Amino acid sequence: MNTNMAHSKKQEVLRLRIENSFQQLKRLKKQKNRESFNKELLELLPDIKKHINRRLTVALKKEYFPKNKYSVDDFVSQLFIEVYDNIDTVKEEKHLYLWLFKKTNELLEDVIVEEEFDDFFFKNIDTYSKLEWDAMEQEFSVDAGRDFVMMEEFDDVSYSHEGYTLNHVFVEDNKKALIDKIDKSLDDKTIANHLKTVLYNLPLSMQDVYELYAEQKFSLAEIAEIRNMAVEDVETLLKDARKALQVSLFNRYPAQ
């Protein structure tokens, strides 16, 4: 659990850093100093670039847009333009972090055309054998190596364990004993790789909601704002993602 606490602190520091840059960005915009504006903004974007990279990688795997048509840099460049042109619409510094993700999501949604909800994996998640889970994790590892950018740029984000811990999966108070039991049986890397494998096979909307919640520490209301959907729908997607993760753990590691 220490990993999760450290990650939460890291996200708090990042939000504060972005908020502290707000007035500087507005001053640079007022001065029409686009070069310095972009330089300042670039320092704030590592997590957003990770988010774009992850969304594009999964979308490509699921064939939601043509291969080699887009790159992470394409979206980052467009995001620079959007932020520079529209930052004056952000009234308070505390809204900037959410607004950046909302703008990013709008850019992604313009090009990623999701198919109708495919619930085959979700409905059958309690039927897979350990061998099938092992094969899926191997496939995930191979696909993760085909990301749009070199992973070294993002501190090896494909294998980072931040945001992929049990206390995001089991939130009920009566599950603490179960969390402790799994924690003692499986190391952080094993847990993280399993959770990422399951998420990778879930619908994009479910993945996105879970990762915005667990990885970026957004509230349900903030995620609803980012994704332009009702809070109730966000809550349902998060609940379904947790259910899939819980069932998968029970079935893959029944003896733990």
Side-chain angles (χ1 to χ4, degrees):
M1 298 304 160
N2 290 336
T3 300
N4 184 62
M5 291 176 63
H7 182 55
S8 295
K9 183 63 178 177
K10 177 182 174 183
Q11 291 304 113
E12 289 176 12
V13 171
L14 176 61
R15 285 200 182 208
L16 182 60
R17 182 182 177 191
I18 290 175
E19 289 175 11
N20 289 339
S21 296
F22 179 66
Q23 294 302 331
Q24 175 67 358
L25 288 169
K26 296 200 80 165
R27 278 194 295 270
L28 292 170
K29 168 67 184 295
K30 189 174 182 179
Q31 295 166 4
K32 298 183 179 180
N33 189 341
R34 186 184 287 267
E35 182 178 353
S36 295
F37 182 97
N38 287 348
K39 184 177 180 180
E40 179 78 14
L41 181 60
L42 184 63
E43 297 296 318
L44 309 178
L45 293 185
D47 270 25
I48 292 177
K49 290 180 74 174
K50 292 180 193 178
H51 181 68
I52 294 171
N53 184 70
R54 185 160 41 231
R55 289 283 304 275
L56 292 184
T57 300
V58 175
L60 179 62
K61 164 66 177 175
K62 295 178 181 287
E63 299 182 346
Y64 290 157
F65 64 78
K67 188 176 181 180
N68 299 324
K69 186 172 182 179
Y70 302 104
S71 71
V72 173
D73 286 342
D74 292 335
F75 287 91
V76 172
S77 296
Q78 186 59 38
L79 184 61
F80 277 126
I81 295 170
E82 291 289 330
V83 175
Y84 185 84
D85 289 347
N86 297 290
I87 194 168
D88 290 331
T89 65
V90 184
K91 301 305 180 185
E92 299 182 57
E93 58 267 20
K94 65 182 180 180
H95 297 148
L96 181 58
Y97 185 62
L98 183 150
W99 183 79
L100 288 172
F101 269 87
K102 183 175 176 63
K103 281 294 176 185
T104 301
N105 194 68
E106 289 172 355
L107 293 174
L108 290 167
E109 292 298 318
D110 281 345
V111 300
I112 298 176
V113 181
E114 295 186 36
E115 296 176 350
E116 291 185 15
F117 185 89
D118 182 358
D119 62 358
F120 180 83
F121 175 82
F122 184 71
K123 280 187 173 180
N124 292 278
I125 199 165
D126 60 348
T127 67
Y128 298 118
S129 67
K130 186 178 186 306
L131 285 176
E132 287 173 312
W133 279 118
D134 291 346
M136 278 189 276
E137 185 167 313
Q138 177 61 32
E139 182 181 2
F140 165 76
S141 298
V142 170
D143 286 326
R146 299 182 184 136
D147 278 3
F148 279 76
V149 293
M150 293 299 292
M151 287 298 96
E152 301 91 270
E153 293 183 36
F154 301 137
D155 298 324
D156 200 18
V157 65
S158 283
Y159 298 97
S160 169
H161 304 156
E162 296 175 346
Y164 297 93
T165 56
L166 294 176
N167 62 336
H168 291 121
V169 179
F170 300 97
V171 295
E172 301 88 347
D173 291 338
N174 62 354
K175 296 293 177 63
K176 186 178 185 305
L178 178 59
I179 293 174
D180 291 342
K181 184 177 180 181
I182 297 175
D183 255 348
K184 290 176 182 177
S185 303
L186 304 172
D187 60 33
D188 289 346
K189 182 177 180 180
T190 299
I191 292 170
N193 284 345
H194 175 78
L195 297 183
K196 285 184 281 188
T197 298
V198 177
L199 288 167
Y200 186 64
N201 285 281
L202 292 176
L204 279 178
S205 56
M206 204 176 289
Q207 289 182 50
D208 194 35
V209 165
Y210 184 87
E211 289 177 348
L212 287 171
Y213 176 81
E215 181 92 5
Q216 304 302 332
K217 307 301 180 186
F218 284 114
S219 68
L220 297 183
E222 288 174 327
I223 296 170
E225 174 70 17
I226 290 169
R227 290 188 53 83
N228 193 30
M229 62 195 308
V231 174
E232 293 79 10
D233 292 336
V234 171
E235 189 172 14
T236 297
L237 287 169
L238 182 59
K239 181 179 178 181
D240 287 346
R242 283 196 180 118
K243 179 181 177 182
L245 293 167
Q246 290 174 9
V247 170
S248 69
L249 282 165
F250 292 146
N251 283 280
R252 188 177 186 185
Y253 303 106
Q256 304 300 328

